[in-house]
Short mmCIF file of all heavy atoms in Angstrom, two decimals:
data_model
loop_
_atom_site.label_atom_id
_atom_site.label_comp_id
_atom_site.label_asym_id
_atom_site.label_seq_id
_atom_site.Cartn_x
_atom_site.Cartn_y
_atom_site.Cartn_z
N TRP A 276 26.52 16.11 -22.91
CA TRP A 276 27.76 16.76 -23.68
C TRP A 276 28.97 15.95 -23.63
O TRP A 276 29.69 16.02 -24.56
CB TRP A 276 27.98 18.13 -23.17
CG TRP A 276 28.80 18.84 -24.22
CD1 TRP A 276 30.16 19.26 -24.25
CD2 TRP A 276 28.24 19.33 -25.46
NE1 TRP A 276 30.45 19.78 -25.38
CE2 TRP A 276 29.35 19.83 -26.21
CE3 TRP A 276 27.00 19.26 -26.05
CZ2 TRP A 276 29.18 20.27 -27.54
CZ3 TRP A 276 26.78 19.82 -27.30
CH2 TRP A 276 27.91 20.33 -28.04
N THR A 277 29.09 15.14 -22.62
CA THR A 277 30.32 14.19 -22.70
C THR A 277 30.28 13.18 -23.92
O THR A 277 31.33 12.71 -24.22
CB THR A 277 30.61 13.49 -21.34
OG1 THR A 277 29.42 12.81 -20.98
CG2 THR A 277 31.07 14.44 -20.34
N GLU A 278 29.07 12.93 -24.37
CA GLU A 278 29.00 12.05 -25.46
C GLU A 278 28.96 12.95 -26.74
O GLU A 278 29.74 12.82 -27.71
CB GLU A 278 27.81 11.21 -25.44
CG GLU A 278 27.65 10.35 -26.73
CD GLU A 278 26.46 9.36 -26.65
OE1 GLU A 278 25.36 9.78 -26.35
OE2 GLU A 278 26.61 8.13 -26.81
N TRP A 279 28.05 13.87 -26.78
CA TRP A 279 27.86 14.76 -28.06
C TRP A 279 29.18 15.54 -28.38
O TRP A 279 29.51 15.54 -29.51
CB TRP A 279 26.63 15.72 -27.74
CG TRP A 279 26.14 16.32 -29.06
CD1 TRP A 279 26.60 17.44 -29.67
CD2 TRP A 279 25.13 15.79 -29.85
NE1 TRP A 279 25.99 17.69 -30.80
CE2 TRP A 279 24.92 16.71 -31.00
CE3 TRP A 279 24.17 14.75 -29.76
CZ2 TRP A 279 24.01 16.65 -31.92
CZ3 TRP A 279 23.21 14.65 -30.74
CH2 TRP A 279 23.10 15.47 -31.75
N GLY A 280 29.71 16.11 -27.34
CA GLY A 280 30.96 16.90 -27.68
C GLY A 280 32.12 16.08 -28.06
O GLY A 280 33.21 16.66 -28.43
N ASN A 281 32.11 14.73 -27.96
CA ASN A 281 33.09 13.85 -28.34
C ASN A 281 32.72 13.01 -29.61
O ASN A 281 33.56 12.40 -30.25
CB ASN A 281 33.53 12.89 -27.29
CG ASN A 281 34.32 13.48 -26.27
OD1 ASN A 281 35.10 14.42 -26.49
ND2 ASN A 281 34.04 13.16 -24.94
N ALA A 282 31.50 13.12 -30.07
CA ALA A 282 31.06 12.29 -31.11
C ALA A 282 31.50 12.83 -32.58
O ALA A 282 31.63 13.95 -32.56
CB ALA A 282 29.54 12.13 -31.14
N VAL A 283 31.73 11.91 -33.45
CA VAL A 283 32.18 12.34 -34.82
C VAL A 283 31.00 12.68 -35.57
O VAL A 283 30.01 12.02 -35.69
CB VAL A 283 32.95 11.14 -35.31
CG1 VAL A 283 33.32 11.47 -36.78
CG2 VAL A 283 34.28 10.87 -34.52
N ARG A 284 31.15 13.89 -36.29
CA ARG A 284 30.16 14.35 -37.35
C ARG A 284 28.81 14.62 -36.81
O ARG A 284 27.82 14.45 -37.55
CB ARG A 284 30.13 13.39 -38.48
CG ARG A 284 31.49 13.14 -39.21
CD ARG A 284 31.37 12.24 -40.40
NE ARG A 284 30.64 12.91 -41.53
CZ ARG A 284 29.57 12.46 -42.06
NH1 ARG A 284 29.00 11.27 -41.66
NH2 ARG A 284 28.98 13.00 -43.07
N VAL A 285 28.66 14.97 -35.50
CA VAL A 285 27.43 15.59 -35.13
C VAL A 285 27.43 17.01 -35.16
O VAL A 285 28.49 17.67 -34.96
CB VAL A 285 27.01 15.04 -33.77
CG1 VAL A 285 26.88 13.53 -33.63
CG2 VAL A 285 27.91 15.61 -32.68
N PRO A 286 26.36 17.77 -35.49
CA PRO A 286 26.31 19.17 -35.57
C PRO A 286 26.47 19.90 -34.20
O PRO A 286 25.85 19.38 -33.26
CB PRO A 286 25.00 19.49 -36.28
CG PRO A 286 24.09 18.39 -35.88
CD PRO A 286 25.04 17.20 -35.79
N ILE A 287 27.21 20.91 -34.15
CA ILE A 287 27.40 21.70 -32.87
C ILE A 287 27.24 23.18 -33.16
O ILE A 287 27.68 23.63 -34.23
CB ILE A 287 28.78 21.40 -32.25
CG1 ILE A 287 28.87 20.07 -31.78
CG2 ILE A 287 29.18 22.54 -31.28
CD1 ILE A 287 30.21 19.62 -31.27
N VAL A 288 26.59 23.95 -32.34
CA VAL A 288 26.54 25.40 -32.43
C VAL A 288 27.40 26.03 -31.26
O VAL A 288 27.23 25.57 -30.14
CB VAL A 288 25.15 25.88 -32.36
CG1 VAL A 288 25.05 27.38 -32.26
CG2 VAL A 288 24.33 25.47 -33.66
N LYS A 289 28.15 27.06 -31.61
CA LYS A 289 28.93 27.74 -30.58
C LYS A 289 28.24 29.11 -30.35
O LYS A 289 27.50 29.63 -31.34
CB LYS A 289 30.38 27.90 -30.97
CG LYS A 289 31.08 26.61 -30.91
CD LYS A 289 32.68 26.83 -31.21
CE LYS A 289 33.36 27.27 -29.95
NZ LYS A 289 33.85 26.11 -29.18
N GLY A 290 28.38 29.69 -29.21
CA GLY A 290 27.92 31.06 -28.96
C GLY A 290 26.61 30.91 -28.16
O GLY A 290 26.05 29.93 -27.72
N SER A 291 26.00 32.13 -27.98
CA SER A 291 24.82 32.21 -27.02
C SER A 291 23.52 31.99 -27.75
O SER A 291 22.46 31.95 -27.10
CB SER A 291 24.90 33.53 -26.27
OG SER A 291 24.77 34.57 -27.18
N GLU A 292 23.44 31.99 -29.10
CA GLU A 292 22.21 31.79 -29.80
C GLU A 292 21.99 30.24 -29.92
O GLU A 292 22.99 29.50 -30.23
CB GLU A 292 22.27 32.38 -31.12
CG GLU A 292 22.31 34.01 -30.95
CD GLU A 292 21.19 34.50 -30.10
OE1 GLU A 292 19.95 34.08 -30.45
OE2 GLU A 292 21.32 35.41 -29.30
#
Side-chain angles (χ1 to χ4, degrees):
Chain A
W276 199 255
T277 50
E278 179 176 52
W279 196 274
N281 286 323
V283 175
R284 300 184 71 236
V285 298
I287 289 174
V288 170
K289 289 187 84 92
S291 56
E292 294 301 317

